[in-house]
Amino acid sequence: MPLPFLVFILSFLSTLHLSLQTSLLAPVFKDQSTLQYTLQLYLQNPLQPTNLILHLGSSFSWLDCYQNYNSSSYLHVPCSSSLCGSLNSLACSNCFHAPGPACANNTCSLLPQNPVTRESTLSNALIDSLALHTTDGSTQLSQLGLVNDFVFSCSPTFLLQGLAKGVTGLAALGRSNYSLTAQISKALSSPCYFALCLSGSLSKPGLVFFGFSGPYIFNSKIDLSKSLIYTPLILNPVWSDEYFIGVTSVKVNGKVVPFSASLLTVDQNGFGGTKISTVESYTVFETSIYEAFIDLFVKEALGLNLTVTNAVKPFGVCYGGKDIMSTRVGPAVPTVDLVMQSEDVFWRIFGSNSMVRIERSDADVWCLGFVDGGSHARTSIVIGGHQLEDNLLQFDLGSNRLGFSSSILVQGTTCANFDFNSSKILK
């Protein structure tokens, strides 16, 4: 979208200061090249539309402030301040260049990390204005909700390497007092909630709701908050900013995948267990889980007269593209269940989330969208983005629980069916 048009639109977007009655949202787009999910919000003064990679495992957000950062309202965080102490700063920075967002003396420093390349660097903590669209749970409203004192990290431009085109930083939704979620909830004086609905569409966005427990209304009438099943969030003793859940078994067509149950327990060193990730494109299984899983899936698929064909990397099992029938919940294949704290609490994965279509000159296949994470994987199961799409996930951090819907295709809707009043989405 041309810059003058963006400025024209922004001039008509009024802002309001947040209150307990305010609810916020941000559209989330899927990048075709990287399969990463990017969240759109507004930063700086005057407010600028800003695209950030969405990450569930980071404790604070960061933004490239070396390029095109021209805010009139940013503040540095002094090293001696109580805020710096609460940020668990690793260093105090001084600078010998021209003063600016990335350069100041006696400044609190953080360690922003790129979750794709794993590169990190020391950089200044900043405070500036943040805004997101308000919502009534059924539509995006025209007003923006303003957070005046949003804390994040500056970062150098090289930290953007490997991220989706047009992204200028990272939106942290991890378990932290300075995540995007926590700071919005503090500004709202509300319980710490956010709900994630990723769209599988490359043209229509999904979204994140902030600061309220519902309603989450799609197709003008379907309130997905009423169909949630809940399971506890588990605190990893080492990687405490990530979201772990207590999967106790994996089933295919109701049959238990045989592997050591000890892999599903998080040990004192933080290894094992199951976490949710928006950075991994597909669910990752530790090798022994993966091998047992694909063996059982292939056997169950034979009952549907499905036989494997040549696999396409990174997947290990594929079927002919024309061999599988289509249903309202995707390809007709065996169901996969992630069983939680009891047999009647399970996350069901249908064909739309278990299978990946690959169409190119040398292949036309449906592949089982799970990958082998190796025999020394830090986390035994990492539920990736493809398995999250068109599922509503509510993170209730006050009660330490996750609400999940399983596929909302069953209810006749998708995460792309929220009413954004699309003229106001600035992509």
Side-chain angles (χ1 to χ4, degrees):
M1 183 178 291
L3 182 60
F5 187 49
L6 289 181
V7 173
F8 174 78
I9 290 177
L10 286 173
S11 68
F12 284 93
L13 295 180
S14 62
T15 60
L16 57 84
H17 291 277
L18 302 183
S19 69
L20 187 60
Q21 289 74 37
T22 309
S23 301
L24 303 177
L25 65 76
V28 177
F29 298 88
K30 184 176 183 179
D31 179 67
Q32 184 172 9
S33 176
T34 62
L35 305 183
Q36 295 166 7
Y37 302 95
T38 63
L39 179 150
Q40 185 184 90
L41 42 68
Y42 300 86
L43 279 170
Q44 305 187 51
N45 185 10
L47 292 169
Q48 301 295 318
T50 305
N51 294 319
L52 306 174
I53 184 173
L54 189 159
H55 187 33
L56 293 176
S58 289
S59 57
F60 58 86
S61 302
W62 55 263
L63 183 74
D64 175 12
C65 57
Y66 282 73
Q67 293 191 113
N68 303 317
Y69 197 90
N70 302 307
S71 178
S72 64
S73 58
Y74 73 85
L75 297 170
H76 291 101
V77 178
C79 291
S80 59
S81 65
S82 59
L83 174 57
C84 186
S86 65
L87 285 167
N88 298 316
S89 173
L90 298 174
C92 185
S93 295
N94 289 300
C95 183
F96 304 100
H97 302 288
C103 184
N105 291 326
N106 189 36
T107 300
C108 188
S109 290
L110 298 175
L111 194 67
Q113 183 184 61
N114 180 318
V116 175
T117 64
R118 299 294 180 184
E119 281 199 87
S120 59
T121 186
L122 279 173
S123 200
N124 294 340
L126 290 180
I127 301 172
D128 210 341
S129 297
L130 163 77
L132 296 93
H133 273 284
T134 53
T135 181
D136 59 3
S138 65
T139 187
Q140 173 179 277
L141 304 177
S142 59
Q143 284 187 306
L144 297 175
L146 185 65
V147 179
N148 284 315
D149 300 317
F150 179 62
V151 181
F152 61 100
S153 176
C154 176
S155 77
T157 305
F158 77 81
L159 211 60
L160 299 174
Q161 184 177 357
L163 301 185
K165 184 179 179 180
V167 162
T168 55
L170 178 144
L173 273 66
R175 302 177 76 167
S176 159
N177 290 333
Y178 291 98
S179 68
L180 176 61
T181 307
Q183 293 190 68
I184 289 173
S185 294
K186 182 178 179 181
L188 290 170
S189 299
S190 70
C192 196
Y193 283 100
F194 73 95
L196 177 66
C197 204
L198 297 179
S199 171
S201 169
L202 295 174
S203 59
K204 296 181 179 180
L207 73 163
V208 185
F209 297 102
F210 292 100
F212 69 115
S213 59
Y216 311 127
I217 298 175
F218 291 71
N219 279 15
S220 302
K221 58 185 178 181
I222 301 171
D223 181 4
L224 296 180
S225 69
K226 297 185 180 302
S227 61
L228 296 175
I229 300 170
Y230 294 93
T231 191
L233 287 168
I234 295 172
L235 186 65
N236 187 300
V238 178
W239 292 283
S240 59
D241 49 0
E242 299 182 320
Y243 295 105
F244 281 74
I245 55 175
V247 172
T248 57
S249 68
V250 180
K251 294 182 178 180
V252 176
N253 268 1
K255 298 179 181 178
V256 176
V257 177
F259 58 86
S260 174
S262 64
L263 290 168
L264 299 179
T265 301
V266 179
D267 67 22
Q268 62 184 2
N269 297 313
F271 286 79
T274 302
K275 75 173 183 180
I276 301 169
S277 171
T278 50
V279 171
E280 294 290 347
S281 298
Y282 307 102
T283 292
V284 182
F285 284 150
E286 182 273 342
T287 295
S288 66
I289 301 176
Y290 178 77
E291 291 176 348
F293 170 71
I294 62 172
D295 283 349
L296 182 54
F297 189 94
V298 168
K299 289 176 183 176
E300 290 300 305
L302 281 174
L304 298 173
N305 294 319
L306 298 177
T307 55
V308 297
T309 186
N310 294 332
V312 176
K313 291 182 178 180
F315 308 113
V317 173
C318 297
Y319 298 93
K322 298 178 181 178
D323 294 344
I324 301 179
M325 293 190 303
S326 180
T327 73
R328 68 171 179 161
V329 290
V333 295
T335 58
V336 178
D337 293 335
L338 303 178
V339 182
M340 308 296 176
Q341 65 268 28
S342 64
E343 287 293 315
D344 59 349
V345 179
F346 56 88
W347 181 339
R348 175 151 291 177
I349 301 172
F350 296 98
S352 60
N353 292 110
S354 65
M355 305 301 291
V356 178
R357 187 66 181 265
I358 298 174
E359 294 180 277
R360 61 192 197 196
S361 60
D362 62 339
D364 179 9
V365 292
W366 281 106
C367 294
L368 184 59
F370 298 76
V371 297
D372 185 350
S375 58
H376 300 288
R378 189 192 90 184
T379 303
S380 300
I381 299 177
V382 181
I383 304 172
H386 183 70
Q387 281 68 40
L388 303 179
E389 291 173 357
D390 294 321
N391 286 244
L392 182 77
L393 302 180
Q394 182 197 76
F395 296 80
D396 178 354
L397 302 184
S399 300
N400 279 316
R401 66 177 187 171
L402 174 76
F404 60 95
S405 65
S406 294
S407 176
I408 62 176
L409 299 182
V410 172
Q411 301 183 55
T413 191
T414 71
C415 290
N417 282 343
F418 185 78
D419 180 10
F420 277 106
N421 188 4
S422 59
S423 64
K424 295 188 174 67
I425 298 177
L426 311 176
K427 190 172 182 188

